[in-house]
Amino acid sequence: MTHPVPVNAVLDDAAITTLRRTLAAGLNEQQFGLFVEYCRRTGLDPFQHQIHAYERGGRLIMQVGIDGLRLIAARTGELEGFVGPQWAGDDGQWRDVWLSDKPPAAARVGVWRRGFREPVWGVAHYTEFVQRREGRPTAIWQAMPANQLAKCAEAAALRRAFPAESAGLYVPEEGGAMDRVDEAVAERKQGFSSRPRIREEVIEVDRATGEVVDVPPPARDSHSADEAPKPRPAQQEVPGWIGEAVKYAKDQGFPPAVFETLLGRPASKKALMDWAAGRENPLAELKAFIDRLVEEDENGATGELPLE
């Protein structure tokens, strides 16, 4: 039987107002409403940094720490323990301890749920989950690849064992897999856009002879884009708030690349301008984002964020 959500995890009107103005300032109204529902459904407290949301590649991502997923599973009263983590190298042999200086090829974690005959396994492959920057693993993945990969495997196992309670929730360590998905989607879109357009053939048949009659292609408009290409638009002016946001991040000890977590793509002037479209005060939202990271850093939670 599922345990009730703790009363202090249910957001009242005052808490929702505070959340909207602070930790969730970067979300639009629809995204914010969805985020609040996730907080209520999971019983995780955004003010204790157990859960937060950000936009990535046009979609909203609900992110929790691995402890958040463990808490959700434990509250059901049906979590009966774990198997592992275990790691394997290129030889495919599972080990309880990873001692090699080389990153493991894979990690797995088993979750025991009451009534299940076998543990539910989550498996994570290094090549699919490693987070990279400029082609190299990020600092934390270089320093602790076994630990990072084990969290990815455990998160997958917990979602499989408790899908009703944890579906759609991801840990920061899984960002590398999201990068692979984004790259695949971009390549697919590029493939579609690069396909040559095929002109529809106009075919007519002479009713008297039954022979095909050639029909000349339609006359081209003298003002068509092919004959008179439109001039390229002037380069869009970079607004001053971008420089202020970058300076604010640097003053707090973060490089400009920190905004990748919020943007869901490599940080650039164009990416920031695209993200800011339709937002009333993008500078305030970016500052609120940095303030949240500073607060998490002070609470020792920076390791849960892919900021390297």
Side-chain angles (χ1 to χ4, degrees), residues 166-275:
S166 58
L169 299 176
Y170 298 90
V171 296
E173 291 77 15
E174 295 178 283
M178 295 181 187
D179 291 340
R180 308 291 101 75
V181 172
D182 291 343
E183 292 168 2
V185 171
E187 289 179 0
R188 185 177 181 184
K189 289 182 179 179
Q190 180 64 28
F192 278 116
S193 63
S194 62
R195 291 181 181 178
R197 294 187 176 183
I198 302 176
R199 185 177 65 86
E200 294 183 359
E201 297 289 342
V202 181
I203 300 177
E204 287 189 6
V205 178
D206 190 308
R207 295 184 179 180
T209 63
E211 296 179 354
V212 175
V213 179
D214 291 332
V215 178
R220 298 178 65 181
D221 186 355
S222 60
H223 299 289
S224 66
D226 291 338
E227 294 184 1
K230 296 180 180 180
R232 296 178 62 182
Q235 185 176 2
Q236 190 173 3
E237 183 179 355
V238 179
W241 59 262
I242 290 182
E244 291 186 40
V246 171
K247 182 178 183 303
Y248 188 78
K250 289 182 177 180
D251 290 343
Q252 304 303 320
F254 293 100
V258 71
F259 292 121
E260 291 182 9
T261 306
L262 180 64
L263 301 175
R265 56 192 284 194
S268 65
K269 293 178 181 179
K270 183 179 184 307
L272 284 166
M273 293 169 70
D274 291 344
W275 168 84

Side-chain angles (χ1 to χ4, degrees), residues 41-56:
R41 179 174 67 84
T42 61
L44 298 181
D45 190 344
F47 295 106
Q48 294 185 15
H49 306 292
Q50 294 176 347
I51 181 172
H52 71 274
Y54 68 95
E55 186 176 344
R56 180 189 178 100

Side-chain angles (χ1 to χ4, degrees), residues 23-95:
L23 301 180
L27 304 180
N28 61 36
E29 291 302 321
Q30 184 177 10
Q31 293 170 337
F32 178 69
L34 181 60
F35 179 44
V36 170
E37 288 303 313
Y38 262 88
C39 293
R40 287 172 168 167
R41 179 174 67 84
T42 61
L44 298 181
D45 190 344
F47 295 106
Q48 294 185 15
H49 306 292
Q50 294 176 347
I51 181 172
H52 71 274
Y54 68 95
E55 186 176 344
R56 180 189 178 100
R59 63 187 187 278
L60 190 65
I61 301 297
M62 301 296 171
Q63 193 170 83
V64 300
I66 192 64
D67 288 335
L69 286 179
R70 292 168 182 164
L71 177 60
I72 291 172
R75 282 177 177 167
T76 66
E78 297 184 6
L79 176 64
E80 296 192 337
F82 297 86
V83 181
Q86 298 173 343
W87 296 269
D90 295 334
D91 58 2
Q93 299 298 315
W94 292 106
R95 298 170 176 85

